[in-house]
Amino acid sequence: MPKIIDHDAKRREIAQAAISVFVRDGIREANLGTVAAFCGFGRTTMYQYFRNIDEVLAFSLEEIFSRLMKDIESVEEKPGNSATGKLLDLLFFLEKVAVEDKERMILVLDFLLHPKRMIPGMSFDVSGKVRELRASVERLLEAGVKSGELKQVSAKSMAFTLFSLVEAAAIHSVLYDNISLEETVASTKALIEGLRA
């Protein structure tokens, strides 16, 4: 009896492995052969799942952001939590990802730091997806101001400021081994406490 393979699950598994290859070898140097070898099978097997390395890269980025957005939606929609509580939960989640999920963050940072990088045929907009993440912080700030929980501040400007802390955590976690998630979160919490009305 032939072995049944979950095609979508296998694509996600390959994308996860590909992230490690992109980080190790660089986006321009990675190819289907290196990803296939990292996965433990031949290059021709890769063609059952992806046409080329650019498709692997786009799928990997889509996986990263779809997972992030799903988790963010669950924070935003969490019942019984105030806007400020949701904002704290969201920032904790984003900082945790930034500090603990280094490989994914290196791949995202590579695109953010090289915004003019052109990859033929790839339409995935990393900068746009990051703006969507920042917009979730802005929405919760607006809700907190509207409900009277937070001081009257520019939600757009404050979201930019708070999100820059997440971006800094991502960069520092890549550059330094001694970044503390607990201290980062405590500092962010202190800033949010200063915004309370």
Side-chain angles (χ1 to χ4, degrees), residues 4 28 40 70 78 88-90 147 191 195:
I4 298 174
R28 293 275 185 215
K70 190 183 301 180
K78 187 176 179 182
L88 285 166
D89 288 351
L90 176 60
S147 70
L191 289 172
L195 292 175

Side-chain angles (χ1 to χ4, degrees), residues 144-164:
V145 169
K146 186 176 179 181
S147 70
E149 296 172 48
L150 300 175
K151 295 176 185 175
Q152 290 293 319
V153 295
S154 164
K156 184 176 190 79
S157 177
M158 188 55 69
F160 187 84
T161 301
L162 291 172
F163 198 78
S164 68

Side-chain angles (χ1 to χ4, degrees), residues 113-182:
L113 296 173
H114 300 96
K116 304 242 186 266
R117 180 187 306 276
M118 296 302 291
I119 297 185
M122 190 172 121
S123 61
F124 193 86
D125 180 11
V126 174
S127 295
K129 291 297 182 181
V130 170
R131 283 191 298 275
E132 285 181 36
L133 297 177
R134 190 171 56 233
S136 62
V137 175
E138 186 175 340
R139 282 191 300 275
L140 291 175
L141 282 163
E142 286 171 347
V145 169
K146 186 176 179 181
S147 70
E149 296 172 48
L150 300 175
K151 295 176 185 175
Q152 290 293 319
V153 295
S154 164
K156 184 176 190 79
S157 177
M158 188 55 69
F160 187 84
T161 301
L162 291 172
F163 198 78
S164 68
L165 297 174
V166 173
E167 292 169 326
I171 291 168
H172 287 144
S173 71
V174 170
L175 296 176
Y176 311 109
D177 289 333
N178 62 350
I179 189 166
S180 164
L181 177 60
E182 293 77 22

Side-chain angles (χ1 to χ4, degrees), residues 17-129:
I19 291 169
S20 297
V21 174
F22 290 130
V23 169
R24 182 192 72 197
D25 297 350
I27 293 169
R28 293 275 185 215
E29 290 75 23
N31 58 56
L32 282 181
T34 56
V35 173
F38 196 83
C39 292
F41 49 76
R43 181 184 172 109
T44 54
T45 303
M46 285 290 290
Y47 289 114
Q48 296 174 26
Y49 303 100
F50 296 99
R51 291 180 303 218
N52 55 48
I53 195 66
D54 295 338
E55 190 176 289
V56 176
L57 177 59
F59 186 84
S60 299
L61 289 165
E62 286 170 15
E63 281 294 297
I64 290 169
F65 282 98
S66 68
R67 207 174 327 158
L68 282 172
M69 293 310 293
K70 190 183 301 180
D71 290 338
I72 286 170
E73 285 173 17
S74 69
V75 169
E76 286 186 286
E77 295 169 3
K78 187 176 179 182
N81 206 355
S82 67
T84 305
K86 289 177 182 181
L87 179 61
L88 285 166
D89 288 351
L90 176 60
L91 290 169
F92 170 74
F93 167 73
L94 290 172
E95 288 173 343
K96 184 175 180 0
V97 169
V99 170
E100 294 180 353
D101 204 350
K102 290 183 183 185
E103 283 194 335
R104 285 185 178 86
M105 291 305 100
I106 289 170
L107 184 59
V108 170
L109 286 169
D110 192 5
F111 274 89
L112 292 177
L113 296 173
H114 300 96
K116 304 242 186 266
R117 180 187 306 276
M118 296 302 291
I119 297 185
M122 190 172 121
S123 61
F124 193 86
D125 180 11
V126 174
S127 295
K129 291 297 182 181

